[in-house]
Amino acid sequence: MPRTKKFDKTEVLAAAASIFQQKGYNGTSMDEVLRATGLSRSSLYDSFGDKHNLYIQSLEYYKQNNQALSDKIEEKPVNGLQKIDFLFKNVVDHLIAHPDDNGCLLVNAAAEMSKQCFKTQQVICNNKDEVQELLTGWLNDAQSRNILKLSKPTKNYSQFLYNTLLGLRVMSQSGATKQELNNVVKVTIDSLN
């Protein structure tokens, strides 16, 4: 009777997300996946099906980890505009603290795989919708408190804010300094007033 190797699924998904973030899906060999996760080939196939299914699950894991920051911000007893400002500043701080990261796994996946893989596209679109819905809620809160007076529907602004968040992640990969990233955040927040 074969022995079943025990492993922590969260640790495997974190390791897989990290290697896919650094090298992309197509740039990551199966041997690199096995080394990064510590799984044997049979354990990977038994538990995740194949490299592609592991990739999709690691995208979901990465998305949920990013959502944890938004959930913490959501709980803060501050207005919606302050929550947006806090989110942007946290993103900049993370980008500066992790200069060796190869960008955001979700942004990278959108560029590399979303046109080739429907499942990847679904994860990316679900993330976009969830983030925009959160931002819309924060904008609505700021409007209801008379902190903001927006001339267009809040959904339009949430799309702009989402695009700017993605742009910050891409901009950091081109060597942008913290000051440059903060300048983008300031102009973005100022454009809401």
Side-chain angles (χ1 to χ4, degrees), residues 47-125:
S47 302
F48 298 97
D50 59 16
K51 174 185 161 186
H52 185 259
N53 284 329
L54 176 62
Y55 177 72
I56 298 299
Q57 289 184 45
S58 68
L59 285 177
E60 288 285 359
Y61 166 82
Y62 187 89
K63 179 172 98 59
Q64 289 170 357
N65 269 9
N66 282 347
Q67 188 175 345
L69 170 63
S70 301
D71 292 344
K72 286 180 186 175
I73 295 170
E74 180 65 23
E75 294 171 4
K76 291 187 173 297
V78 295
N79 69 60
L81 183 60
Q82 290 169 314
K83 289 177 182 182
I84 291 168
D85 187 54
F86 193 76
L87 174 64
F88 273 81
K89 287 180 179 169
N90 269 272
V91 167
V92 169
D93 289 344
H94 176 82
L95 293 171
I96 296 304
H98 301 91
D100 295 332
D101 278 359
N102 187 27
C104 170
L105 178 57
L106 295 171
V107 173
N108 296 349
E112 180 186 16
M113 295 294 292
S114 67
K115 294 291 185 189
Q116 301 171 29
C117 170
F118 180 71
K119 288 182 180 180
T120 300
Q121 187 178 54
Q122 282 182 307
V123 175
I124 301 303
C125 288

Side-chain angles (χ1 to χ4, degrees), residues 28 31 36 41 44 55 59 61 64 70 77 93 96 115 118 122 124-125 128 135 146 148-149 158 170 174 176 184 192:
T28 304
D31 287 340
R41 197 171 293 270
L44 186 141
Y55 177 72
L59 285 177
Y61 166 82
Q64 289 170 357
S70 301
D93 289 344
I96 296 304
K115 294 291 185 189
F118 180 71
Q122 282 182 307
I124 301 303
C125 288
K128 172 186 64 76
L135 292 167
N146 292 320
L148 289 178
K149 296 210 182 287
S158 70
V170 172
S174 66
V184 171
L192 299 175

